[in-house]
Amino acid sequence: MAQVALSVVLLTGSGLLIRSFVELRSVDLGFETENLITASVSINVAKYEDPKSRTRFFQGVMEDVQAMPGVEAASFTNKIPIRHRWTDWLTWDVDNPPSAEEDRIFTYSRTVMPGYFEALGLSVLKGRDHSLDDGPREEPFLVLSQSAADALFPGQDPLGRTVGVFNGLRDGHYEVLGVVPDFRVTSVDRDPLPQMYFSHTTFPNTGMNLVARAHGDPAALVSAIRQAVLDRDPDVPLENVSTMEAIVANSISGSWTLSLATALFAVTALILSLTGLYAVLAFYVGRRTREIGLRVALGATGGRVSGMVLKRGLMLVGAGLVLGVLGAGVAARVLQSQLYQVGTLDPLTFASVAVGFVVAGVSASLLPARRAIRVDPVRAIQVE
């Protein structure tokens, strides 16, 4: 019973984790991951002291990549979705500032170059994307995600409105240039969060990440992209090359590893419990050989004799199941933080484990039951 109970706990836990992993694999991220390749490009701060020279370098590489055969779209961002989780800054409506600082909205900040949303397969919902032709402004442009626009300007047109931003050091005011769809920017298992996108001319970073969408296999572009970067500056390497699909898969690999490890322990426990059940029933039949012989001699049918053994086995399995289900309910709460879109008391998982274990228990009981049917009543009665 203890073995059965432990097996049920492990099987239920692994079932919940596997179902959670399946849910993660099917999540709609909000942008297209197919045929999308990413890579890091970092330039020397001392060599590119002038902010405009930094923008010119990345613009040049971007245009070179966009002109390559097989490239559908390309751009740069300081943080790749899913791979880079931070940074979130405080924002508010300048025309209607909140009465308390804690009422300001945390919004994820990204620096991008024109064409970034096109590279992700997204369309601008309102207004337009950044342009490198946008000159210096007292209030630089930014693009908001739909959820950020709704939070800052509920029921209002956000275009042309002013957003206050506190980046941890100082406040700044920015004009809303456009609105884009929401997508999962920090992790696969977190719903889309408010986002805002600044132009590289506003925050001219020296480290950016290329995102390029190919018509076919994006890996075929790597050599050409690397050469394009070297042609612009032979001292700048192309690093951290990866497809977006690989980034997403790697972000949920921990869930798969945990699911697999738990499943292996569960299968081991299942084998041990079924072996133990078989051994107990075999011992039970051996101890009651004379009684079984007498029953057969007095007219007991094979079905009744095998039913006696199966009933014994199912009693052990049933008691273990009850204890196991109770234990699984407690264990599932411990796993709650690891589950996505799956309840800790998911009825499908619990029912599947219970039914599966009853079937496995009956299977493990069949061999001792068949052995009981074959008892020779004459020989059994002679044995003391």
Side-chain angles (χ1 to χ4, degrees), residues 56-93:
R56 283 196 299 269
F57 173 83
F58 288 112
Q59 180 184 7
V61 173
M62 181 180 69
E63 291 174 348
D64 291 343
V65 175
Q66 289 173 340
M68 291 178 183
V71 173
E72 183 178 336
S75 184
F76 277 98
T77 177
N78 68 326
K79 296 183 183 298
I80 297 173
I82 308 302
R83 171 178 281 177
H84 302 134
R85 301 197 172 193
W86 313 110
T87 304
D88 51 339
W89 293 346
L90 289 169
T91 58
W92 62 93
D93 177 3

mmCIF file of all heavy atoms in Angstrom, residues 56-93:
data_model
loop_
_atom_site.group_PDB
_atom_site.id
_atom_site.type_symbol
_atom_site.label_atom_id
_atom_site.label_comp_id
_atom_site.label_asym_id
_atom_site.label_seq_id
_atom_site.Cartn_x
_atom_site.Cartn_y
_atom_site.Cartn_z
ATOM 1 N N ARG A 56 24.829 55.493 -36.487
ATOM 2 C CA ARG A 56 25.227 55.283 -37.885
ATOM 3 C C ARG A 56 25.762 53.872 -38.099
ATOM 4 O O ARG A 56 25.483 53.238 -39.126
ATOM 5 C CB ARG A 56 26.273 56.316 -38.302
ATOM 6 C CG ARG A 56 25.725 57.688 -38.591
ATOM 7 C CD ARG A 56 26.727 58.541 -39.351
ATOM 8 N NE ARG A 56 27.965 58.732 -38.584
ATOM 9 C CZ ARG A 56 28.178 59.749 -37.759
ATOM 10 N NH1 ARG A 56 27.219 60.653 -37.570
ATOM 11 N NH2 ARG A 56 29.319 59.861 -37.103
ATOM 12 N N PHE A 57 26.546 53.348 -37.136
ATOM 13 C CA PHE A 57 27.096 51.999 -37.285
ATOM 14 C C PHE A 57 25.969 50.969 -37.347
ATOM 15 O O PHE A 57 25.924 50.136 -38.275
ATOM 16 C CB PHE A 57 28.030 51.675 -36.114
ATOM 17 C CG PHE A 57 28.490 50.249 -36.108
ATOM 18 C CD1 PHE A 57 29.558 49.840 -36.879
ATOM 19 C CD2 PHE A 57 27.819 49.293 -35.341
ATOM 20 C CE1 PHE A 57 29.970 48.507 -36.889
ATOM 21 C CE2 PHE A 57 28.219 47.967 -35.339
ATOM 22 C CZ PHE A 57 29.297 47.573 -36.115
ATOM 23 N N PHE A 58 25.081 50.992 -36.381
ATOM 24 C CA PHE A 58 24.014 50.001 -36.355
ATOM 25 C C PHE A 58 23.053 50.183 -37.532
ATOM 26 O O PHE A 58 22.539 49.200 -38.080
ATOM 27 C CB PHE A 58 23.255 50.069 -35.030
ATOM 28 C CG PHE A 58 24.042 49.545 -33.864
ATOM 29 C CD1 PHE A 58 24.480 50.394 -32.857
ATOM 30 C CD2 PHE A 58 24.355 48.199 -33.781
ATOM 31 C CE1 PHE A 58 25.214 49.902 -31.784
ATOM 32 C CE2 PHE A 58 25.080 47.689 -32.702
ATOM 33 C CZ PHE A 58 25.520 48.550 -31.712
ATOM 34 N N GLN A 59 22.826 51.423 -37.937
ATOM 35 C CA GLN A 59 21.979 51.657 -39.105
ATOM 36 C C GLN A 59 22.624 51.055 -40.354
ATOM 37 O O GLN A 59 21.943 50.430 -41.179
ATOM 38 C CB GLN A 59 21.760 53.159 -39.308
ATOM 39 C CG GLN A 59 20.881 53.486 -40.523
ATOM 40 C CD GLN A 59 20.745 54.977 -40.768
ATOM 41 O OE1 GLN A 59 21.403 55.790 -40.109
ATOM 42 N NE2 GLN A 59 19.903 55.351 -41.710
ATOM 43 N N GLY A 60 23.949 51.213 -40.472
ATOM 44 C CA GLY A 60 24.643 50.664 -41.631
ATOM 45 C C GLY A 60 24.551 49.154 -41.693
ATOM 46 O O GLY A 60 24.275 48.573 -42.750
ATOM 47 N N VAL A 61 24.778 48.510 -40.543
ATOM 48 C CA VAL A 61 24.679 47.039 -40.498
ATOM 49 C C VAL A 61 23.243 46.609 -40.808
ATOM 50 O O VAL A 61 23.019 45.649 -41.566
ATOM 51 C CB VAL A 61 25.117 46.513 -39.119
ATOM 52 C CG1 VAL A 61 24.853 45.007 -39.021
ATOM 53 C CG2 VAL A 61 26.592 46.807 -38.867
ATOM 54 N N MET A 62 22.282 47.311 -40.235
ATOM 55 C CA MET A 62 20.880 46.967 -40.460
ATOM 56 C C MET A 62 20.532 47.055 -41.942
ATOM 57 O O MET A 62 19.884 46.139 -42.498
ATOM 58 C CB MET A 62 19.983 47.907 -39.654
ATOM 59 C CG MET A 62 18.491 47.639 -39.795
ATOM 60 S SD MET A 62 17.485 48.794 -38.814
ATOM 61 C CE MET A 62 17.762 50.322 -39.730
ATOM 62 N N GLU A 63 20.961 48.106 -42.595
ATOM 63 C CA GLU A 63 20.664 48.269 -44.019
ATOM 64 C C GLU A 63 21.370 47.211 -44.858
ATOM 65 O O GLU A 63 20.808 46.719 -45.852
ATOM 66 C CB GLU A 63 21.059 49.675 -44.469
ATOM 67 C CG GLU A 63 20.165 50.765 -43.859
ATOM 68 C CD GLU A 63 20.652 52.166 -44.186
ATOM 69 O OE1 GLU A 63 21.798 52.288 -44.688
ATOM 70 O OE2 GLU A 63 19.900 53.131 -43.923
ATOM 71 N N ASP A 64 22.606 46.843 -44.470
ATOM 72 C CA ASP A 64 23.323 45.794 -45.202
ATOM 73 C C ASP A 64 22.584 44.456 -45.094
ATOM 74 O O ASP A 64 22.475 43.721 -46.083
ATOM 75 C CB ASP A 64 24.743 45.641 -44.646
ATOM 76 C CG ASP A 64 25.618 46.843 -44.957
ATOM 77 O OD1 ASP A 64 25.248 47.634 -45.848
ATOM 78 O OD2 ASP A 64 26.667 47.004 -44.283
ATOM 79 N N VAL A 65 22.099 44.152 -43.891
ATOM 80 C CA VAL A 65 21.385 42.883 -43.693
ATOM 81 C C VAL A 65 20.053 42.908 -44.431
ATOM 82 O O VAL A 65 19.651 41.909 -45.052
ATOM 83 C CB VAL A 65 21.177 42.609 -42.189
ATOM 84 C CG1 VAL A 65 20.322 41.359 -41.981
ATOM 85 C CG2 VAL A 65 22.520 42.445 -41.487
ATOM 86 N N GLN A 66 19.350 44.034 -44.376
ATOM 87 C CA GLN A 66 18.064 44.138 -45.069
ATOM 88 C C GLN A 66 18.213 43.934 -46.570
ATOM 89 O O GLN A 66 17.285 43.424 -47.230
ATOM 90 C CB GLN A 66 17.434 45.507 -44.796
ATOM 91 C CG GLN A 66 16.932 45.690 -43.368
ATOM 92 C CD GLN A 66 16.480 47.112 -43.088
ATOM 93 O OE1 GLN A 66 16.857 48.050 -43.799
ATOM 94 N NE2 GLN A 66 15.684 47.289 -42.034
ATOM 95 N N ALA A 67 19.375 44.303 -47.126
ATOM 96 C CA ALA A 67 19.602 44.188 -48.573
ATOM 97 C C ALA A 67 20.035 42.786 -48.997
ATOM 98 O O ALA A 67 20.139 42.515 -50.196
ATOM 99 C CB ALA A 67 20.652 45.206 -49.007
ATOM 100 N N MET A 68 20.287 41.891 -48.046
ATOM 101 C CA MET A 68 20.746 40.539 -48.386
ATOM 102 C C MET A 68 19.621 39.710 -49.010
ATOM 103 O O MET A 68 18.475 39.809 -48.594
ATOM 104 C CB MET A 68 21.257 39.818 -47.130
ATOM 105 C CG MET A 68 22.525 40.377 -46.561
ATOM 106 S SD MET A 68 23.005 39.469 -45.052
ATOM 107 C CE MET A 68 24.461 40.415 -44.583
ATOM 108 N N PRO A 69 19.963 38.877 -49.999
ATOM 109 C CA PRO A 69 18.965 37.956 -50.545
ATOM 110 C C PRO A 69 18.486 36.986 -49.456
ATOM 111 O O PRO A 69 19.272 36.497 -48.671
ATOM 112 C CB PRO A 69 19.740 37.205 -51.640
ATOM 113 C CG PRO A 69 20.913 38.073 -51.954
ATOM 114 C CD PRO A 69 21.257 38.783 -50.688
ATOM 115 N N GLY A 70 17.214 36.758 -49.424
ATOM 116 C CA GLY A 70 16.664 35.832 -48.445
ATOM 117 C C GLY A 70 16.240 36.481 -47.145
ATOM 118 O O GLY A 70 15.691 35.807 -46.270
ATOM 119 N N VAL A 71 16.497 37.782 -46.987
ATOM 120 C CA VAL A 71 16.104 38.488 -45.759
ATOM 121 C C VAL A 71 14.784 39.215 -45.992
ATOM 122 O O VAL A 71 14.648 40.005 -46.926
ATOM 123 C CB VAL A 71 17.191 39.488 -45.310
ATOM 124 C CG1 VAL A 71 16.702 40.321 -44.139
ATOM 125 C CG2 VAL A 71 18.461 38.751 -44.934
ATOM 126 N N GLU A 72 13.827 38.946 -45.141
ATOM 127 C CA GLU A 72 12.519 39.584 -45.244
ATOM 128 C C GLU A 72 12.492 40.906 -44.492
ATOM 129 O O GLU A 72 11.901 41.887 -44.956
ATOM 130 C CB GLU A 72 11.456 38.635 -44.697
ATOM 131 C CG GLU A 72 10.037 39.148 -44.807
ATOM 132 C CD GLU A 72 9.025 38.142 -44.295
ATOM 133 O OE1 GLU A 72 9.321 36.937 -44.288
ATOM 134 O OE2 GLU A 72 7.917 38.574 -43.887
ATOM 135 N N ALA A 73 13.086 40.944 -43.311
ATOM 136 C CA ALA A 73 13.124 42.158 -42.488
ATOM 137 C C ALA A 73 14.244 42.021 -41.473
ATOM 138 O O ALA A 73 14.630 40.910 -41.099
ATOM 139 C CB ALA A 73 11.793 42.383 -41.783
ATOM 140 N N ALA A 74 14.784 43.150 -41.030
ATOM 141 C CA ALA A 74 15.873 43.130 -40.043
ATOM 142 C C ALA A 74 15.876 44.435 -39.269
ATOM 143 O O ALA A 74 15.505 45.490 -39.793
ATOM 144 C CB ALA A 74 17.222 42.909 -40.714
ATOM 145 N N SER A 75 16.297 44.351 -37.994
ATOM 146 C CA SER A 75 16.385 45.538 -37.155
ATOM 147 C C SER A 75 17.263 45.215 -35.946
ATOM 148 O O SER A 75 17.820 44.113 -35.843
ATOM 149 C CB SER A 75 14.986 45.977 -36.711
ATOM 150 O OG SER A 75 15.049 47.193 -35.976
ATOM 151 N N PHE A 76 17.374 46.179 -35.041
ATOM 152 C CA PHE A 76 18.143 46.005 -33.815
ATOM 153 C C PHE A 76 17.280 46.347 -32.609
ATOM 154 O O PHE A 76 16.396 47.205 -32.674
ATOM 155 C CB PHE A 76 19.372 46.914 -33.807
ATOM 156 C CG PHE A 76 20.556 46.362 -34.541
ATOM 157 C CD1 PHE A 76 20.823 46.754 -35.856
ATOM 158 C CD2 PHE A 76 21.412 45.450 -33.939
ATOM 159 C CE1 PHE A 76 21.922 46.260 -36.528
ATOM 160 C CE2 PHE A 76 22.514 44.951 -34.603
ATOM 161 C CZ PHE A 76 22.770 45.347 -35.907
ATOM 162 N N THR A 77 17.547 45.675 -31.499
ATOM 163 C CA THR A 77 16.923 45.979 -30.213
ATOM 164 C C THR A 77 17.951 45.757 -29.117
ATOM 165 O O THR A 77 18.867 44.938 -29.281
ATOM 166 C CB THR A 77 15.685 45.097 -29.949
ATOM 167 O OG1 THR A 77 15.163 45.391 -28.654
ATOM 168 C CG2 THR A 77 16.046 43.618 -29.998
ATOM 169 N N ASN A 78 17.804 46.470 -28.013
ATOM 170 C CA ASN A 78 18.774 46.263 -26.937
ATOM 171 C C ASN A 78 18.463 45.006 -26.127
ATOM 172 O O ASN A 78 19.347 44.471 -25.452
ATOM 173 C CB ASN A 78 18.827 47.497 -26.019
ATOM 174 C CG ASN A 78 17.550 47.687 -25.209
ATOM 175 O OD1 ASN A 78 16.456 47.379 -25.691
ATOM 176 N ND2 ASN A 78 17.671 48.200 -23.997
ATOM 177 N N LYS A 79 17.219 44.503 -26.224
ATOM 178 C CA LYS A 79 16.856 43.306 -25.455
ATOM 179 C C LYS A 79 15.969 42.404 -26.311
ATOM 180 O O LYS A 79 14.953 42.843 -26.840
ATOM 181 C CB LYS A 79 16.145 43.677 -24.153
ATOM 182 C CG LYS A 79 17.037 44.461 -23.187
ATOM 183 C CD LYS A 79 16.326 44.737 -21.880
ATOM 184 C CE LYS A 79 17.196 45.584 -20.949
ATOM 185 N NZ LYS A 79 18.447 44.908 -20.579
ATOM 186 N N ILE A 80 16.368 41.137 -26.410
ATOM 187 C CA ILE A 80 15.616 40.155 -27.197
ATOM 188 C C ILE A 80 14.467 39.607 -26.364
ATOM 189 O O ILE A 80 14.648 39.288 -25.187
ATOM 190 C CB ILE A 80 16.552 39.012 -27.640
ATOM 191 C CG1 ILE A 80 17.653 39.572 -28.548
ATOM 192 C CG2 ILE A 80 15.780 37.908 -28.356
ATOM 193 C CD1 ILE A 80 18.712 38.565 -28.900
ATOM 194 N N PRO A 81 13.279 39.486 -26.946
ATOM 195 C CA PRO A 81 12.157 38.917 -26.195
ATOM 196 C C PRO A 81 12.495 37.538 -25.641
ATOM 197 O O PRO A 81 13.222 36.763 -26.258
ATOM 198 C CB PRO A 81 11.048 38.825 -27.258
ATOM 199 C CG PRO A 81 11.414 39.841 -28.282
ATOM 200 C CD PRO A 81 12.904 39.883 -28.312
ATOM 201 N N ILE A 82 11.973 37.246 -24.467
ATOM 202 C CA ILE A 82 12.121 35.970 -23.759
ATOM 203 C C ILE A 82 13.529 35.817 -23.170
ATOM 204 O O ILE A 82 13.689 35.439 -22.013
ATOM 205 C CB ILE A 82 11.790 34.760 -24.657
ATOM 206 C CG1 ILE A 82 10.418 34.949 -25.326
ATOM 207 C CG2 ILE A 82 11.830 33.471 -23.846
ATOM 208 C CD1 ILE A 82 9.287 35.133 -24.366
ATOM 209 N N ARG A 83 14.581 36.130 -23.944
ATOM 210 C CA ARG A 83 15.947 35.963 -23.436
ATOM 211 C C ARG A 83 16.274 37.020 -22.393
ATOM 212 O O ARG A 83 16.858 36.720 -21.352
ATOM 213 C CB ARG A 83 16.959 36.041 -24.586
ATOM 214 C CG ARG A 83 18.408 36.102 -24.110
ATOM 215 C CD ARG A 83 19.384 36.122 -25.260
ATOM 216 N NE ARG A 83 19.585 34.773 -25.804
ATOM 217 C CZ ARG A 83 20.358 34.512 -26.855
ATOM 218 N NH1 ARG A 83 20.964 35.504 -27.488
ATOM 219 N NH2 ARG A 83 20.514 33.273 -27.283
ATOM 220 N N HIS A 84 15.937 38.270 -22.648
ATOM 221 C CA HIS A 84 16.254 39.377 -21.737
ATOM 222 C C HIS A 84 14.982 39.873 -21.063
ATOM 223 O O HIS A 84 14.061 40.327 -21.747
ATOM 224 C CB HIS A 84 16.917 40.522 -22.505
ATOM 225 C CG HIS A 84 18.170 40.122 -23.217
ATOM 226 N ND1 HIS A 84 18.442 40.479 -24.523
ATOM 227 C CD2 HIS A 84 19.218 39.369 -22.803
ATOM 228 C CE1 HIS A 84 19.611 39.976 -24.872
ATOM 229 N NE2 HIS A 84 20.099 39.301 -23.855
ATOM 230 N N ARG A 85 14.936 39.798 -19.740
ATOM 231 C CA ARG A 85 13.688 40.080 -19.033
ATOM 232 C C ARG A 85 13.533 41.540 -18.597
ATOM 233 O O ARG A 85 12.435 42.010 -18.452
ATOM 234 C CB ARG A 85 13.582 39.164 -17.805
ATOM 235 C CG ARG A 85 13.603 37.704 -18.184
ATOM 236 C CD ARG A 85 13.104 36.838 -17.062
ATOM 237 N NE ARG A 85 12.932 35.460 -17.471
ATOM 238 C CZ ARG A 85 12.292 34.544 -16.784
ATOM 239 N NH1 ARG A 85 11.755 34.852 -15.619
ATOM 240 N NH2 ARG A 85 12.174 33.306 -17.223
ATOM 241 N N TRP A 86 14.581 42.225 -18.293
ATOM 242 C CA TRP A 86 14.466 43.549 -17.743
ATOM 243 C C TRP A 86 14.715 44.550 -18.863
ATOM 244 O O TRP A 86 15.185 44.194 -19.937
ATOM 245 C CB TRP A 86 15.458 43.734 -16.584
ATOM 246 C CG TRP A 86 15.436 42.575 -15.619
ATOM 247 C CD1 TRP A 86 16.396 41.637 -15.426
ATOM 248 C CD2 TRP A 86 14.364 42.197 -14.750
ATOM 249 N NE1 TRP A 86 16.018 40.704 -14.496
ATOM 250 C CE2 TRP A 86 14.774 41.017 -14.062
ATOM 251 C CE3 TRP A 86 13.105 42.717 -14.486
ATOM 252 C CZ2 TRP A 86 13.970 40.372 -13.135
ATOM 253 C CZ3 TRP A 86 12.315 42.068 -13.558
ATOM 254 C CH2 TRP A 86 12.746 40.921 -12.892
ATOM 255 N N THR A 87 14.370 45.826 -18.779
ATOM 256 C CA THR A 87 14.213 46.621 -17.571
ATOM 257 C C THR A 87 12.816 47.232 -17.552
ATOM 258 O O THR A 87 12.302 47.613 -18.596
ATOM 259 C CB THR A 87 15.257 47.747 -17.584
ATOM 260 O OG1 THR A 87 16.542 47.182 -17.712
ATOM 261 C CG2 THR A 87 15.187 48.631 -16.372
ATOM 262 N N ASP A 88 12.205 47.367 -16.373
ATOM 263 C CA ASP A 88 10.909 48.030 -16.287
ATOM 264 C C ASP A 88 11.066 49.357 -15.562
ATOM 265 O O ASP A 88 11.684 49.444 -14.509
ATOM 266 C CB ASP A 88 9.879 47.135 -15.604
ATOM 267 C CG ASP A 88 10.372 46.586 -14.273
ATOM 268 O OD1 ASP A 88 11.595 46.554 -14.054
ATOM 269 O OD2 ASP A 88 9.525 46.212 -13.447
ATOM 270 N N TRP A 89 10.497 50.399 -16.174
ATOM 271 C CA TRP A 89 10.568 51.752 -15.633
ATOM 272 C C TRP A 89 9.163 52.247 -15.273
ATOM 273 O O TRP A 89 8.162 51.741 -15.768
ATOM 274 C CB TRP A 89 11.191 52.714 -16.663
ATOM 275 C CG TRP A 89 12.653 52.438 -16.940
ATOM 276 C CD1 TRP A 89 13.488 51.656 -16.210
ATOM 277 C CD2 TRP A 89 13.419 52.942 -18.034
ATOM 278 N NE1 TRP A 89 14.750 51.648 -16.766
ATOM 279 C CE2 TRP A 89 14.739 52.430 -17.886
ATOM 280 C CE3 TRP A 89 13.147 53.784 -19.114
ATOM 281 C CZ2 TRP A 89 15.768 52.726 -18.777
ATOM 282 C CZ3 TRP A 89 14.172 54.087 -20.002
ATOM 283 C CH2 TRP A 89 15.460 53.570 -19.839
ATOM 284 N N LEU A 90 9.114 53.245 -14.406
ATOM 285 C CA LEU A 90 7.840 53.820 -13.984
ATOM 286 C C LEU A 90 7.338 54.827 -15.018
ATOM 287 O O LEU A 90 8.109 55.643 -15.532
ATOM 288 C CB LEU A 90 7.997 54.508 -12.631
ATOM 289 C CG LEU A 90 8.206 53.580 -11.429
ATOM 290 C CD1 LEU A 90 8.624 54.381 -10.203
ATOM 291 C CD2 LEU A 90 6.930 52.797 -11.134
ATOM 292 N N THR A 91 6.048 54.757 -15.330
ATOM 293 C CA THR A 91 5.455 55.674 -16.312
ATOM 294 C C THR A 91 4.145 56.246 -15.761
ATOM 295 O O THR A 91 3.507 55.652 -14.893
ATOM 296 C CB THR A 91 5.160 54.945 -17.633
ATOM 297 O OG1 THR A 91 4.278 53.831 -17.389
ATOM 298 C CG2 THR A 91 6.438 54.412 -18.261
ATOM 299 N N TRP A 92 3.739 57.386 -16.342
ATOM 300 C CA TRP A 92 2.470 58.003 -15.958
ATOM 301 C C TRP A 92 2.039 58.992 -17.040
ATOM 302 O O TRP A 92 2.838 59.380 -17.910
ATOM 303 C CB TRP A 92 2.597 58.727 -14.608
ATOM 304 C CG TRP A 92 3.596 59.866 -14.598
ATOM 305 C CD1 TRP A 92 3.337 61.187 -14.833
ATOM 306 C CD2 TRP A 92 5.014 59.770 -14.376
ATOM 307 N NE1 TRP A 92 4.496 61.920 -14.753
ATOM 308 C CE2 TRP A 92 5.538 61.078 -14.468
ATOM 309 C CE3 TRP A 92 5.877 58.717 -14.099
ATOM 310 C CZ2 TRP A 92 6.900 61.350 -14.313
ATOM 311 C CZ3 TRP A 92 7.223 58.988 -13.930
ATOM 312 C CH2 TRP A 92 7.727 60.287 -14.036
ATOM 313 N N ASP A 93 0.778 59.362 -17.008
ATOM 314 C CA ASP A 93 0.220 60.362 -17.908
ATOM 315 C C ASP A 93 0.583 61.737 -17.355
ATOM 316 O O ASP A 93 0.133 62.117 -16.265
ATOM 317 C CB ASP A 93 -1.300 60.183 -18.000
ATOM 318 C CG ASP A 93 -1.965 61.238 -18.881
ATOM 319 O OD1 ASP A 93 -1.259 62.074 -19.468
ATOM 320 O OD2 ASP A 93 -3.215 61.202 -18.970
#
